[in-house]
Amino acid sequence: MTSGKFNMDDIMNCMHCGFCLPSCPTYRMTGKETQSPRGRIALMKGAALGQLELDAEFERNMYDCLGCRACETACPAGVPYGTMIEAAREAVEDKKLAERPMPFVKKLAFRHLFPHPKRMQALGTVLWGAQALGLQKLADKTGLIRILPREMAEMQKSVGRVASPFARAKRKRVMAAEAPVPEATAGVSGAEAAAARTDAAAQPLRVGFFTGCIMDVMFYETNQATAKLLAKAGCEVVFAEAQTCCGALHAHSGYKDGAKELAMRNIEAFERAGVDLIVNNAGGCGAALKEYHHWFHDDPAWHKRAMAFVAKMRDANELLAELPPLKLTKPVDAVVTYQDSCHLANGQGVRNQPRQLIRSIPGVQFVEMKGADSCCGSAGIYNITNYDKSMELLDDKMNNVKKTQARLIVTSNPGCLLQMKQGIIRAGLQDQMEAVHIMDLLERAL
């Protein structure tokens, strides 16, 4: 049963037991019921029944949520809080759009930038040019960087070198497999996909690579490293044409119609690519991609196509853990710890595979971090929209990182990676510690 944007069945499934409270970062920070999953669901119920207005207070409580979905892992009733918070924000944004136009900055980002890969690549070229000319360093040294909002000025310090347009232009649409996948050792999912091909014995697993929007601009080399690892593991990697942003930021920000438009474009792009599986290397993107079918629950035709898309979707950690082990021969002699991506761990249930892959690297001394699966405060654009709370979470995270005495902090999501780099800078540990994406770390060991 639904009431407007709200699903009353999901709302009534919440037993108000409180198991979610210790797992919720905003509740731990504030101690306020309205800053907990249970409290927010109560507010949603009031709004759905017409007892509460979708006013500024309701909006603030919904957007103060990081969307880390740790409550879903803790919930004994299986309440789908992630979809519920998105529905609440969608209701807020629909009301606001009915009263006034979308703010310029949001309109620029959500309608004119993220959905257009060529514009994102052009933005990457501008950023590369600024770095190549030394403008980023100059702005830091002269203090000109202070003209940016504080949160943006701080974040830019953690942005690494962007690949040049010349390097990006060299990418081939298909990266050939270096060896065929032995069907008997390809893991359950890999084997099933290979068996579906009539020529599975002779042909490698054909994997479509989801590049992402920000990921392919700011972390192009990480995408290439991931493709290289998959090719080494025996996959033919296809960079599907016409793919676009996953739509996660749109959905998290209440613009579900925009998210669905992007989902349709991606589903069509990978249908045309004719791949056995689809892989991505960003925990936040992957959680959205694996939930496309929920976005089309009221559209039977697109729901069916979305189900087929979701059935093929894998995180890179998942697939590499299923395939024959990589031949990692170059030691990485370092103490390493792992920071879970919330949407990878809580949204996708992928926890053991990254740790398994890290431990397979020769020379690594893996140390588990206390609270590794607690949110680092990145949470999409939360570190921009809720800077102070984000930094409080990050500082707590860095205290746990220090206790591991790790030289490498590994994560599986671009936002988490930038956040951990910022944490290293805030802690003054630039000479002692490095944050790295797990795919880049694995490539170092090849």
Side-chain angles (χ1 to χ4, degrees):
M1 182 177 65
T2 60
S3 179
K5 299 294 181 182
F6 301 96
N7 187 309
M8 287 301 296
D9 291 334
D10 290 340
I11 288 174
M12 298 307 294
N13 278 340
C14 176
M15 302 181 295
H16 303 281
C17 64
F19 276 95
C20 60
L21 300 182
S23 69
C24 178
T26 52
Y27 180 78
R28 292 200 306 268
M29 279 192 287
T30 66
K32 295 180 178 179
E33 182 71 10
T34 53
Q35 291 281 295
S36 73
R38 180 177 69 179
R40 291 187 178 102
I41 291 173
L43 294 176
M44 293 177 202
K45 181 179 179 181
L49 296 175
Q51 298 168 347
L52 285 178
E53 291 291 327
L54 299 177
D55 56 13
E57 179 67 14
F58 181 90
E59 178 181 355
R60 184 179 65 81
N61 283 308
M62 296 304 118
Y63 276 97
D64 275 353
C65 173
L66 291 111
C68 69
R69 298 171 66 169
C71 54
E72 290 188 20
T73 299
C75 181
V79 175
Y81 179 82
T83 58
M84 295 167 71
I85 195 70
E86 287 181 0
R89 292 174 179 176
E90 186 182 3
V92 168
E93 297 305 326
D94 281 356
K95 179 177 182 292
K96 289 164 65 176
L97 286 174
E99 298 171 348
R100 57 188 181 275
M102 183 185 292
F104 171 76
V105 173
K106 285 188 176 181
K107 186 175 182 180
L108 177 67
F110 290 126
R111 292 185 179 174
H112 300 295
L113 186 58
F114 290 125
H116 303 280
K118 290 183 179 179
R119 295 177 190 176
M120 290 295 296
Q121 290 296 325
L123 180 63
T125 298
V126 171
L127 183 55
W128 167 80
Q131 290 177 336
L133 292 171
L135 299 181
Q136 186 180 23
K137 291 182 179 179
L138 179 64
D140 269 335
K141 288 182 179 179
T142 61
L144 283 174
I145 202 70
R146 296 195 190 101
I147 65 173
L148 293 174
R150 177 182 55 161
E151 54 271 17
M152 295 296 291
E154 290 296 316
M155 179 181 286
Q156 63 85 29
K157 295 178 183 178
S158 59
V159 175
R161 297 289 295 179
V162 174
S164 74
F166 313 107
R168 284 181 269 137
K170 293 180 181 178
R171 173 187 280 165
K172 296 180 179 179
R173 196 180 75 81
V174 178
M175 185 179 291
E178 297 197 14
V181 178
E183 187 176 337
T185 59
V188 176
S189 299
E192 288 178 350
R197 296 173 62 91
T198 57
D199 55 349
Q203 296 297 323
L205 198 62
R206 185 174 166 88
V207 174
F209 191 95
F210 183 81
T211 57
C213 52
I214 295 174
M215 192 74 196
D216 211 37
V217 171
M218 298 182 67
F219 300 98
Y220 172 83
E221 297 296 347
T222 302
N223 276 354
Q224 291 301 102
T226 307
K228 180 179 177 182
L229 291 165
L230 291 167
K232 288 279 186 182
C235 299
E236 179 184 62
V237 183
V238 179
F239 292 92
E241 296 178 353
Q243 61 173 296
T244 185
C245 171
C246 67
L249 288 177
H250 291 70
H252 300 333
S253 300
Y255 301 116
K256 184 57 72 67
D257 287 342
K260 289 168 69 174
E261 288 177 14
L262 295 171
M264 291 177 186
R265 287 166 59 184
N266 284 321
I267 291 168
E268 289 176 335
F270 284 94
E271 285 175 344
R272 287 193 298 267
V275 295
D276 302 311
L277 296 175
I278 308 168
V279 70
N280 80 95
N281 59 6
C285 295
L289 294 165
K290 287 184 177 181
E291 295 181 348
Y292 273 3
H293 56 307
H294 293 308
W295 296 3
F296 296 101
H297 64 88
D298 56 352
D299 186 332
W302 274 104
H303 183 266
K304 182 178 180 180
R305 294 172 71 177
M307 285 286 287
F309 177 92
V310 170
K312 294 182 177 182
M313 182 58 62
R314 303 287 184 277
D315 179 77
N317 290 282
E318 281 183 290
L319 186 53
L320 286 173
E322 293 172 0
L323 295 172
L326 292 163
K327 295 179 180 179
L328 304 177
T329 58
K330 186 177 180 181
V332 177
D333 296 317
V335 177
V336 177
T337 194
Y338 179 69
Q339 162 63 24
D340 284 283
S341 156
C342 292
H343 283 90
L344 185 61
N346 300 317
Q348 302 182 58
V350 177
R351 297 172 180 268
N352 295 329
Q353 296 94 324
R355 291 168 169 82
Q356 174 187 331
L357 291 169
I358 293 170
R359 288 190 174 101
S360 72
I361 300 172
V364 160
Q365 180 185 344
F366 182 76
V367 177
E368 189 69 48
M369 184 201 319
K370 179 183 177 182
D373 59 351
S374 65
C375 187
C376 65
S378 171
I381 56 173
Y382 195 89
N383 50 3
I384 297 174
T385 59
N386 298 68
Y387 179 79
D388 290 333
K389 286 183 178 180
S390 173
M391 292 302 105
E392 183 178 341
L393 290 170
L394 177 58
D395 291 341
D396 287 345
K397 176 67 65 176
M398 290 308 300
N399 288 332
N400 289 334
V401 170
K402 290 176 191 175
K403 293 174 184 176
T404 68
Q405 298 185 327
R407 185 170 68 81
L408 297 175
I409 311 171
V410 180
T411 188
S412 299
N413 187 61
C416 300
L417 182 58
L418 287 175
Q419 184 83 337
M420 299 313 297
K421 286 183 176 183
Q422 189 169 354
I424 290 172
I425 294 170
R426 285 173 65 87
L429 299 173
Q430 298 95 313
D431 297 331
Q432 305 172 39
M433 195 176 291
E434 178 189 3
V436 61
H437 194 287
I438 187 171
M439 297 296 133
D440 291 319
L441 181 63
L442 289 168
E443 194 208 14
R444 289 184 191 181
L446 282 175

